[in-house]
Amino acid sequence: MKRKLIAAIGIAGMMVSIAACGDDKGSGDSKGTDAKELTVWLTVDAQNNWPELVKAADAAVQKKHPGVKITHEYYGWPDKNAKLDAVLATDKAPDVVEMGNTEMLGYMVKGAFAPLDASKFDNSSAWLDGLKASVTYEDKTYGVPYYAGGRVANWRKDVFAAAGVKSTPKTYAELTAALDKVQKKEGGKFSAWYQPTRDWYAAMSFVYDAGGSIAVESGGQWKGNLSSAESLKGLNEFKNVVDKYMHGDKTKDESDRYIVYGQAKSGMIFAPAWEGATAAAPENDKTGKLKDNVENFVLPGPSGKNLPVFLGGSDLAVPVKSDAQDLAAEWINAFTGPSGQKGLMAKGNLPNNLTDLAPLKNDPATAVPATAAESNWFVPMAPGWGQVEKAQVLQTMLQSIGTGKKSVEDAAKEADAAIDKVINTK
């Protein structure tokens, strides 16, 4: 699924209103178990792709609570947060709201969402680690993972076959050997692996694979960790990939990767699972050769394990100003429970938990993304993480490394210093 995941920042003014009116809703002994109305905000993904799952959740709640009126509003990703911020400054907050998982942190830090009892949600003990992290702040749960999307490798079978490579690699050594063969055959203007330098999701996968991390927390304080020995090992391997196999513009990010992939100048990408198929669509395939010729596979990491992937996806949260918090939680559980996850998987999404993920590994149609998602990572759940993203600290570091402007060590030290300035700021 294609969309921007925008960090939730700049909502301090809206939160002042929440603090001032905090006793108006969602307070007292009742949290809205007997509420007669429920307002659910979802993105257009649900409206367009699985409306029957929404109706099923409504029916389950209304069967238990006859007479409850459930209203749905649907929003596009670009304008959702501006509308949410505006309404949270009033007394007309929705009761359930869908959030991109990287959007959650800024709202949790500012107290916009009500804490939830994770034990009341099906399969919560098996939530995927990266998704669980996205709804957890200071050891409290403020949302429920909805569904996930991961990253996989995708290559052109014809390009690699022409270089003598007939099957997808199972080890990192096999991968680099295959890439070396393609690079030698195709020449210096071809990218055996088109890996945009500023793509921090890919770079950090190498960091986490090496045992490093973006930042670490100790005693309630976060500190940049990119200059640790483990993180440097991962960054050096990422630089090696970029130096050897990426022969495009080394100042670019990943936003148009699928378009570049469709232009016959690269043999492989590491990207969200939809990008390979999108590159092969008629409007993007400038070669006429990608249809039935691109193949996803799980990317092996230098550590000997599968490369850990960043998990994108959505969460569902209950605004703290909702006067139907308990009913909202029931609706969320009906929507994200076993039947809902089954429906979401049928639409091509990854489930929110390992229990439902396991069977997908045995289905050829879903084995690659399901297997890749087992090993995953997420951003530091630190109060100032949104400011780190806004300042593009990681992208700046990676561009300096990829272009050779700075050494890996110097760029990582500068990034850590920049992270340390803001990461603990609420």
Side-chain angles (χ1 to χ4, degrees), residues 154 258 261 269 272-284 290 294 296:
N154 182 287
Y258 68 98
Y261 192 37
I269 57 175
W274 58 265
E275 286 198 26
T278 304
E283 63 270 23
N284 297 319
L290 296 189
V294 290
N296 283 337

Side-chain angles (χ1 to χ4, degrees), residues 107-406:
Y107 289 84
M108 293 191 293
V109 168
K110 298 298 183 181
F113 298 144
L116 303 173
D117 181 353
S119 67
K120 292 184 177 181
F121 297 93
D122 293 318
N123 283 321
S124 59
S125 62
W127 284 344
L128 297 176
D129 290 342
L131 298 186
K132 181 178 180 180
S134 75
V135 298
T136 306
Y137 181 66
E138 294 185 341
D139 297 323
K140 292 184 179 180
T141 300
Y142 289 95
V144 175
Y146 175 6
Y147 63 91
R151 282 163 170 72
V152 298
N154 182 287
W155 73 3
R156 287 183 54 182
K157 292 184 289 185
D158 59 336
V159 170
F160 281 84
V165 182
K166 306 297 184 182
S167 59
T168 56
K170 298 299 185 288
T171 68
Y172 195 69
E174 290 179 5
L175 172 67
T176 55
L179 290 166
D180 288 342
K181 290 178 180 179
V182 168
Q183 197 63 67
K184 182 178 180 179
K185 184 177 186 303
E186 297 293 338
K189 293 184 178 181
F190 187 86
S191 294
W193 177 350
Y194 181 73
Q195 179 48 64
T197 309
R198 290 172 64 88
D199 177 11
W200 63 276
Y201 297 109
M204 293 306 106
S205 287
F206 281 91
V207 167
Y208 282 90
D209 180 71
S213 60
I214 300 171
V216 291
E217 188 259 344
S218 178
Q221 291 292 300
W222 287 84
K223 186 174 178 60
N225 193 48
L226 293 166
S227 56
S228 69
E230 296 83 1
S231 295
L232 288 175
K233 182 179 180 181
L235 288 171
N236 273 297
E237 187 53 44
F238 180 75
K239 175 176 170 55
N240 185 53
V241 167
V242 172
D243 286 349
K244 290 183 69 175
Y245 309 122
M246 165 61 177
H247 298 288
D249 183 350
K250 293 185 179 180
T251 67
K252 291 192 67 172
D253 64 16
E254 69 279 14
S255 59
D256 65 346
R257 173 173 43 211
Y258 68 98
I259 295 175
V260 175
Y261 192 37
Q263 294 173 344
K265 297 179 181 180
S266 54
M268 180 187 124
I269 57 175
F270 174 55
W274 58 265
E275 286 198 26
T278 304
E283 63 270 23
N284 297 319
D285 180 9
K286 305 305 180 185
T287 71
K289 299 178 180 179
L290 296 189
K291 185 179 180 181
D292 301 323
N293 208 11
V294 290
E295 179 180 18
N296 283 337
F297 62 95
V298 180
L299 191 65
S303 68
K305 301 177 181 179
N306 293 337
L307 195 75
V309 300
F310 174 83
L311 282 184
S314 281
D315 300 322
L316 297 171
V318 179
V320 72
K321 297 178 76 172
S322 164
D323 56 4
Q325 292 180 20
D326 286 349
L327 193 63
E330 288 186 30
W331 190 91
I332 291 174
N333 193 44
F335 190 52
T336 62
S339 61
Q341 292 300 307
K342 183 178 179 180
L344 288 166
M345 289 186 288
K347 299 291 185 177
N349 300 293
L350 292 177
N352 65 6
N353 67 90
L354 288 167
T355 302
D356 289 322
L357 187 71
L360 298 184
K361 294 170 59 181
N362 299 319
D363 182 343
T366 55
V368 169
T371 301
E374 280 190 308
S375 178
N376 56 79
W377 62 273
F378 199 64
V379 299
M381 296 303 285
W385 174 250
Q387 296 185 54
V388 176
E389 282 205 47
K390 183 180 181 182
Q392 298 193 356
V393 173
L394 299 182
Q395 293 95 321
T396 299
M397 173 190 71
L398 293 171
Q399 182 170 322
S400 294
I401 290 171
T403 58
K405 182 179 180 181
K406 294 176 182 175

